[in-house]
Amino acid sequence: MPVSTEWLLHCAATLAQLDAGSTASAAQLARYYDLPAPYLAKQLQALVKAGVLVATTGPTGGFRLAQPASEITLLRIVEAVGGTSPPYVCREIRQQGQGALPADECQNMCVLAEKMTEAHEAWRRSLAGVSLADIVASLPPTAPARTRSRLTSTISAAPSRPSPSAP
Amino acid sequence: MPVSTEWLLHCAATLAQLDAGSTASAAQLARYYDLPAPYLAKQLQALVKAGVLVATTGPTGGFRLAQPASEITLLRIVEAVGGTSPPYVCREIRQQGQGALPADECQNMCVLAEKMTEAHEAWRRSLAGVSLADIVASLPPTAPARTRSRLTSTISAAPSRPSPSAP
Ligand code: FES
Ligand code: FES
């Protein structure tokens, strides 16, 4: 799973704490979590493509959720970042070698592939059962106000170092 | 997930169809599924190390299940081959950047990491609920006899090519 999965889960949970209509830019989110802004921006676009986020343009442009937080599941975010291919791939080895089964006995999925698929579906169901609204609801009641204030704070990304030439 | 996961699931299911006390060698299993024998042998050793298989030595040596098929789950095989590390890794990004939470607010696991862990546990539970005995029970009743006969067949791995010098 890409390392950016954690980034995007957190960014989406952060956007779920904004006031309706507010946006946050890639730069703000990158600063908030100390992440590489260009790579984060690319991943945020993947979430736009997946219909999880909307990107607005203009001087106050940025990202916001494309739907109510209750309708965006963790599964959608994880699959938008990492793709939807299941981790197990069946290459039909039952049809090769000295033990090869004839094709007409292989019209149903192999029972081992079926069990691996069922496990992947159990994983998907688990993540499909949790929305961004559930995540926000589990945070301390003071979290959203704190998140908004830290996100929009004007403190620069590069902490100002005491300079010898400054008074 | 390593491509060899499919190989080892199938090899274990094959060994589960042998008569009690019988073994199959890495070469026989490789021939049965047309797999690269040296790499397969290495992976079979990983299953020995995980307590799933026993390797016997001597002229009739080979591999057999270390326990009754009803006690060997798909999860043990999959984790013996691919390792037990969960695919999602939390790097505690909640503690970094401008939004960093103080350490004393991070004594519990982050709720996002928790939900990802729950999904992984759902996947594990699904695979822990299926044993090799379940797999064998789902095969057609004629399968085990066929498997045994194909596995021990004396047909050579290299198909004999008509040679110009042969009569
Ligand atoms: S043939 Fe692929 S899992 Fe059985
Ligand atoms: S800090 Fe890692 S998932 Fe939240």
Side-chain angles (χ1 to χ4, degrees):
Chain A
M1 200 170 288
V3 60
S4 54
T5 304
E6 185 186 16
W7 308 355
L8 278 297
L9 284 170
H10 268 280
C11 286
T14 296
L15 294 175
Q17 296 173 59
L18 301 188
D19 296 314
S22 295
T23 63
S25 67
Q28 280 178 313
L29 289 165
R31 201 166 61 201
Y32 189 87
Y33 288 115
D34 191 18
L35 299 173
Y39 186 29
L40 179 64
K42 203 179 138 198
Q43 299 285 300
L44 288 164
Q45 289 298 346
L47 261 65
V48 170
K49 211 169 145 192
V52 171
L53 302 184
V54 164
T56 62
T57 48
T60 61
F63 298 90
R64 59 175 173 76
L65 300 187
Q67 289 178 288
S70 58
E71 290 177 26
I72 299 177
T73 67
L74 300 193
L75 180 66
R76 284 177 58 197
I77 299 166
V78 169
E79 291 195 333
V81 178
T84 56
S85 309
Y88 182 78
V89 180
C90 165
R91 288 179 177 77
E92 288 289 329
I93 72 165
R94 62 179 173 171
Q95 296 193 55
Q96 66 189 42
Q98 192 163 299
L101 290 172
D104 67 346
E105 287 181 35
C106 296
Q107 301 191 343
N108 294 330
M109 191 188 275
C110 168
V111 59
L112 289 166
E114 201 178 281
K115 298 302 178 186
M116 294 302 288
T117 302
E118 280 173 24
H120 185 60
E121 284 307 318
W123 176 85
R124 294 186 80 244
R125 255 194 319 278
S126 178
L127 293 178
V130 185
S131 72
L132 289 176
D134 297 328
I135 297 297
V136 174
S138 75
L139 301 177
T142 53
R146 178 189 181 281
T147 299
R148 290 192 293 266
S149 111
R150 292 277 181 123
L151 190 64
T152 56
S153 144
T154 53
I155 296 169
S156 141
S160 62
R161 231 209 274 205
S163 145
S165 67
Chain B
M1 202 172 287
V3 60
S4 55
T5 304
E6 185 186 17
W7 308 355
L8 278 297
L9 284 171
H10 268 279
C11 287
T14 296
L15 295 175
Q17 297 174 59
L18 301 188
D19 297 313
S22 295
T23 63
S25 67
Q28 281 178 313
L29 290 165
R31 201 165 63 202
Y32 189 89
Y33 289 115
D34 191 19
L35 299 173
Y39 186 29
L40 178 63
K42 203 179 138 194
Q43 299 285 301
L44 288 164
Q45 288 298 347
L47 261 65
V48 170
K49 211 169 145 190
V52 170
L53 302 183
V54 163
T56 62
T57 50
T60 61
F63 297 90
R64 58 176 174 76
L65 300 187
Q67 289 178 286
S70 58
E71 290 177 27
I72 298 177
T73 66
L74 300 192
L75 180 65
R76 282 177 58 197
I77 298 166
V78 169
E79 292 195 333
V81 178
T84 56
S85 309
Y88 182 78
V89 179
C90 164
R91 287 179 177 74
E92 288 288 331
I93 71 166
R94 64 180 171 168
Q95 295 193 55
Q96 67 189 41
Q98 192 162 301
L101 290 172
D104 66 346
E105 287 180 35
C106 296
Q107 301 191 340
N108 294 330
M109 192 189 273
C110 169
V111 61
L112 290 165
E114 201 179 284
K115 297 302 176 187
M116 294 302 288
T117 303
E118 280 173 23
H120 184 59
E121 285 306 317
W123 177 85
R124 296 186 78 243
R125 255 193 319 278
S126 178
L127 292 178
V130 185
S131 72
L132 289 176
D134 297 329
I135 297 299
V136 174
S138 75
L139 301 177
T142 53
R146 179 188 181 284
T147 299
R148 289 192 293 265
S149 112
R150 293 279 180 121
L151 190 65
T152 56
S153 144
T154 54
I155 298 167
S156 140
S160 62
R161 233 209 273 206
S163 146
S165 66

